[in-house]
Amino acid sequence: MARRRPERFLRWAMPLGLILVVLALWELGVRWNDTPHYILPGPILVAQTLVADWHTLYPSLLVTLRVTASALAVAVIGGVGLAVLFTLSRMVELSLFPFAVILQVTPIIAIAPLILIYVENTHLALLICAWIVAFFPILSNTTLGLNSADHNLVDLFRLYGASRWQMLRFLRLPAAMPYFLGGLRIAGGLALIGAIVAEFAAGTAGTGSGLAYRILEASYRLNIPRMFAALFLISVAGILIFLALTLLSHLLLRKWHESAARRDG
Amino acid sequence: MRAEDAGSRASGGTAELLLELRGVTKSFPNGTVALNGLDLAVGRHEFLCVLGPSGCGKSTALRLIAGLAGASDGQLAWPNGGSAGDIGFVFQEPTLMPWATVFDNVHLPLRLQGRGRRRAEDVVMQALALVGLADFAGAYPRELSGGMKMRVSIARALVTRPRLLLMDEPFAAVDEITRIRLNHDLLDLWRGQGWTVVFVTHSVYEAVFLAARVVVMSARPGRIVAELEIGEPYPRDDTFRLSESYLRYCGRASAALQQATETG
């Protein structure tokens, strides 16, 4: 116990310390070289801009987060739903899986402009873009998980005359949980990327209000500090999404799954 | 009272038939013939051990009896009624759901039959008490030792009060001491519960200790090539394990197994 505490402290202190050192070097470098702030602003100026521009950046952050969250939610519903359908019917899987792969391998930046043309509602168009990127890892991981149930347990369920629904509810879905959560963590980051990419595409077309749009707008005005401030918010949002999903995964799996359960002794 | 009853009926040869396999053949789509003309009669309340070399189709035979697979040829009959419905199955691995507590794992068969948690609680706790795990109802499988997991698996098999218990090398993966203890407990349970047990194993010593009758299967394609009555009365304990007659039975079973392995 006595040995574990400093280790735990170091786990946080080391990366935090390193980040502070890098930030300090950045600030010093900018000051020593007298780098103009329209080329590279120092972290202090970025922080000041973040505070000063909070009234425009914060609503944009909310817009981006809303798109990300709704895309992720739709991806979860669609991905899990389709995965369940795949396990129930091999024909459905064979027919639909190629479409999922096509959607996945086509770069979102290339389809986003088309989607923005065809879908009039910008918010909906952004959501579709983010959904396309986020949905595949959930689908493929959940499908894998649903098919990973222990064969002997499948036999046991059959022996006791379990219905398809019972097999799904009591066996396949719980067995798929760790896989699903792994996919969800990937999808969370991807949904944000999808939302940002789509906002860029929409921003170039002159509409939008999310963080990516703020970056575009600031770049037209050579307001580099604001670009950095918006970038910082995007990163923080990405990290928070990842941490939240990691926590969710831990809470759901800690009692039974090897990845989350703590080893004694 | 019931114990002697069960023992004498099983070894007496005049036992009422529970299950009969006649000329059962099982081949797989890839051409493998797992069973070829398997004849086997199982008496009510009998403790039967099926002994055979690895890969001789012992597990396939159990799966056929359980109704988990269909025979390619031959017949499987329940002369006095009964069906795959009242069967308990214990696999080689504990085969527990890792996300469910011990209680929920044992509750599973009843839950699948539509008996809710509250209505099943007494029965589940009784089953757990029988295998000595009443205090672990709330534990998760990963917190248990190999032997304890196996006990949970047995409790789950007996929670529906099956007439027939099928066991597929259930103790092959636990250590020797645990295995001996589980053997003793299994015999106690069998005598107390009035089951019929078909126990598959590749261990001669285990088969002789447990069974009233040992049948030996040949290497693939499997069929019964030898049969051995173990005349020792129940209850059996460690004195039987150390007796000369035990060694004699083991010698005979071992010779039969060796012959079966070679001739198959």
Side-chain angles (χ1 to χ4, degrees):
Chain A
M1 201 56 212
R3 268 180 72 188
R4 203 172 265 179
R5 210 171 287 154
E7 210 175 278
R8 248 177 127 175
F9 170 73
L10 280 180
R11 260 179 66 177
W12 287 100
M14 288 294 285
L16 260 178
L18 196 64
I19 287 173
L20 286 178
V21 168
V22 169
L23 285 178
L25 286 176
W26 175 6
E27 183 69 37
L28 284 177
V30 167
R31 280 174 193 236
W32 266 333
N33 297 321
D34 267 335
T35 317
H37 63 74
Y38 51 83
I39 293 181
L40 180 65
I44 292 177
L45 180 58
V46 172
Q48 282 166 347
T49 315
L50 188 62
V51 175
D53 293 353
W54 187 248
H55 59 280
T56 49
L57 288 176
Y58 180 65
S60 298
L61 173 68
L62 287 187
V63 168
T64 303
L65 282 183
R66 204 177 306 141
V67 172
T68 307
S70 31
L72 190 61
V74 180
V76 166
I77 296 167
V80 172
L82 207 53
V84 167
L85 211 60
F86 280 7
T87 47
L88 291 181
S89 161
R90 184 97 183 109
M91 282 317 289
V92 174
E93 180 176 8
L94 288 174
S95 332
L96 287 186
F97 200 69
F99 285 94
V101 175
I102 292 170
L103 274 182
Q104 163 70 9
V105 296
T106 315
I108 187 63
I109 190 75
I111 346 175
L114 281 176
I115 293 174
L116 282 157
I117 291 172
Y118 294 135
V119 182
E120 270 185 40
N121 182 334
T122 315
H123 184 80
L124 183 63
L126 296 181
L127 202 149
I128 291 174
C129 292
W131 171 79
I132 287 176
V133 213
F135 142 93
F136 191 78
I138 294 186
L139 170 69
S140 72
N141 270 32
T142 310
T143 307
L144 179 67
L146 288 171
N147 290 323
S148 301
D150 184 326
H151 284 283
N152 283 335
L153 274 174
V154 173
D155 276 350
L156 191 82
F157 273 68
R158 284 176 52 208
L159 181 73
Y160 290 116
S163 65
R164 263 186 163 186
W165 163 245
Q166 286 177 321
M167 187 90 94
L168 186 69
R169 162 83 181 74
F170 297 127
L171 178 60
R172 294 202 188 276
L173 283 176
M177 195 52 119
Y179 296 83
F180 162 73
L181 290 168
L184 185 65
R185 264 198 283 183
I186 301 171
L190 286 180
L192 180 65
I193 293 175
I196 296 287
V197 166
E199 276 179 20
F200 264 111
T204 355
T207 51
S209 48
L211 278 177
Y213 180 69
R214 293 288 161 232
I215 291 184
L216 270 180
E217 188 190 49
S219 84
Y220 292 145
R221 298 176 189 173
L222 276 185
N223 189 345
I224 311 298
R226 188 190 273 190
M227 288 178 77
F228 269 94
L231 189 60
F232 172 77
L233 281 183
I234 293 174
S235 298
V236 169
I239 293 168
L240 287 182
I241 291 172
F242 180 80
L243 287 180
L245 294 178
T246 305
L247 180 70
L248 177 73
S249 170
H250 178 78
L251 289 178
L252 287 174
L253 299 182
R254 68 186 161 154
K255 289 240 175 82
W256 66 275
H257 198 253
E258 289 301 330
S259 69
R262 212 189 298 159
R263 223 165 236 295
D264 300 322
Chain B
M1 178 62 207
R2 202 166 180 184
E4 280 90 275
D5 214 30
S8 67
R9 261 196 259 178
S11 54
T14 53
E16 192 185 335
L17 269 188
L18 178 71
L19 166 73
E20 200 174 11
L21 283 80
R22 274 186 301 258
V24 167
T25 298
K26 174 72 183 175
S27 47
F28 291 103
N30 64 8
T32 314
V33 182
L35 298 172
N36 192 9
L38 181 76
D39 294 306
L40 183 65
V42 183
R44 190 184 280 267
H45 302 306
E46 184 177 18
F47 200 121
L48 174 74
C49 271
V50 179
L51 187 62
S54 293
C56 72
K58 302 181 295 257
S59 301
T60 309
L62 281 196
R63 290 172 55 83
L64 287 177
I65 296 174
L68 291 172
S72 313
D73 199 12
Q75 278 185 319
L76 192 149
W78 300 79
N80 295 294
S83 65
D86 24 86
I87 286 179
F89 205 115
V90 180
F91 297 88
Q92 187 169 352
E93 303 293 326
T95 314
L96 303 176
M97 301 179 291
W99 54 83
T101 60
V102 165
F103 182 94
D104 288 337
N105 266 290
V106 176
H107 179 207
L108 177 75
L110 300 175
R111 191 184 200 178
L112 292 176
Q113 290 166 5
R115 265 174 89 174
R117 220 182 143 77
R118 191 158 298 163
R119 280 202 299 143
E121 188 167 355
D122 290 346
V123 187
V124 171
M125 288 314 291
Q126 272 170 28
L128 280 174
L130 279 177
V131 297
L133 285 178
D135 294 341
F136 290 86
Y140 283 83
R142 63 180 300 281
E143 299 163 342
L144 306 180
S145 69
M148 287 159 93
K149 283 185 207 168
M150 215 60 236
R151 284 171 198 274
V152 177
S153 184
I154 293 171
R156 180 182 57 195
L158 60 84
V159 78
T160 54
R161 303 181 195 279
R163 285 207 291 169
L164 175 61
L165 188 61
L166 302 175
M167 306 184 86
D168 187 4
E169 301 191 31
F171 308 142
V174 297
D175 63 88
E176 191 68 19
I177 293 173
T178 310
R179 182 179 194 162
I180 288 173
R181 190 176 304 148
L182 287 169
N183 279 340
H184 283 264
D185 293 353
L186 178 62
L187 278 188
D188 286 346
L189 282 172
W190 166 68
R191 288 169 45 223
Q193 303 293 312
W195 302 320
T196 306
V197 179
V198 177
F199 189 104
V200 160
T201 179
H202 57 238
S203 161
V204 167
Y205 306 103
E206 192 173 39
V208 169
F209 180 75
L210 291 172
R213 189 160 63 100
V214 176
V215 294
V216 181
M217 275 176 76
S218 66
R220 201 155 55 201
R223 65 206 154 77
I224 306 293
V225 290
E227 191 173 321
L228 200 64
E229 297 277 345
I230 311 293
E232 180 77 14
Y234 295 96
R236 296 173 182 174
D237 54 21
D238 280 331
T239 40
F240 175 50
R241 250 184 229 285
L242 299 170
S243 69
E244 256 181 58
S245 59
Y246 177 68
L247 282 182
R248 252 198 321 276
Y249 284 125
C250 288
R252 280 166 57 194
S254 195
L257 180 61
Q258 196 154 7
Q259 203 175 7
T261 313
E262 283 160 8
T263 56

